[in-house]
Amino acid sequence: MKYKTIGAFKGVQNVPYCKADADMAVGMGVILDRVAKTAKLPASAEDAKGCFRIVSNINDRPEAHSFEDSVAVLKDEYVRADDLTSVANLEIEFAAPEIATEYSDLAVADKLVFGVGGKLEKATSVDGYKIYFEIIGLTAYRGAGVLAVIRVA
C-alpha cells in the first residue's frame, strides 16, 4: 500500500500508539481500541463495514533489513493506523498480495472493501461500508497492483 500523492502523505491523520493484537501487514484494515491501546483486524462482516483505518507500518525496528520485514507488523508491535476519512477522494495504490480477490478478477471501476481478517476484497455493493476503494487503473505496483480512489460512503 502506498499513497499516490504527496497530499495524502501530508494530510492523513494517524494513531501511532496502539499495539497489534495479532500479526498483520501494511494495507490491512484495522480497528482500534484507543482506551486499551490495541489494534485488531475485523472479525466479522459488521466490523469490516465499519473499518476506516489502514495499517501503515511505523518501521521503527532497526533489525528490519528486507522488504517483507518492512510490511509486516507483528503481534505486540506498534501499528500506525491511518484514518482514511482524512484523505477521502485521494489516490492509493495496492499490491495484489494485499487483496484477497484474485487479481485477474479485478477491473477498472470495481470496488474494493475491507473484509473479515482485514484484507481487501471485491464488492458488488458498498452499502453499509464506511470506506471503499474505487479502482481507476491496474498497475505493476509490486508486480501486480491497482490504483484506487479512497471513497467515504
Side-chain angles (χ1 to χ4, degrees):
M1 180 277 304
K2 69 176 180 176
Y3 297 110
K4 198 64 176 170
T5 65
I6 194 68
F9 284 106
K10 287 179 153 185
V12 71
Q13 297 172 2
N14 67 71
V15 175
Y17 56 77
C18 293
K19 289 188 175 183
D21 78 343
D23 290 352
M24 49 186 71
V26 169
M28 296 178 107
V30 67
I31 298 168
L32 301 184
D33 180 337
R34 293 173 79 168
V35 174
K37 295 184 177 36
T38 57
K40 67 176 185 157
L41 299 171
S44 68
E46 286 306 309
D47 282 353
K49 284 184 174 186
C51 188
F52 64 95
R53 295 187 187 274
I54 193 166
V55 175
S56 176
N57 199 347
I58 290 174
N59 236 356
D60 64 354
R61 294 178 291 153
E63 71 279 9
H65 297 291
S66 72
F67 176 75
E68 290 308 316
D69 287 340
S70 72
V71 297
V73 179
L74 304 177
K75 184 177 194 253
D76 294 324
E77 290 183 340
Y78 286 101
V79 174
R80 180 171 55 219
D82 292 352
D83 180 343
L84 294 170
T85 63
S86 65
V87 287
N89 301 314
L90 295 178
E91 295 174 0
I92 191 168
E93 201 163 10
F94 293 105
E98 298 165 337
I99 305 169
T101 304
E102 184 66 38
Y103 184 75
S104 60
D105 293 335
L106 299 175
V108 171
D110 283 346
K111 293 174 178 60
L112 299 173
V113 296
F114 291 122
V116 174
K119 279 196 166 189
L120 294 168
E121 55 189 42
K122 183 176 169 178
T124 54
S125 171
V126 294
D127 290 343
Y129 285 90
K130 187 162 188 168
I131 292 286
Y132 68 94
F133 307 91
E134 183 177 7
I135 297 175
I136 60 171
L138 301 178
T139 70
Y141 176 55
R142 289 180 51 200
V146 299
L147 180 61
V149 176
I150 301 164
R151 302 289 190 202
V152 178

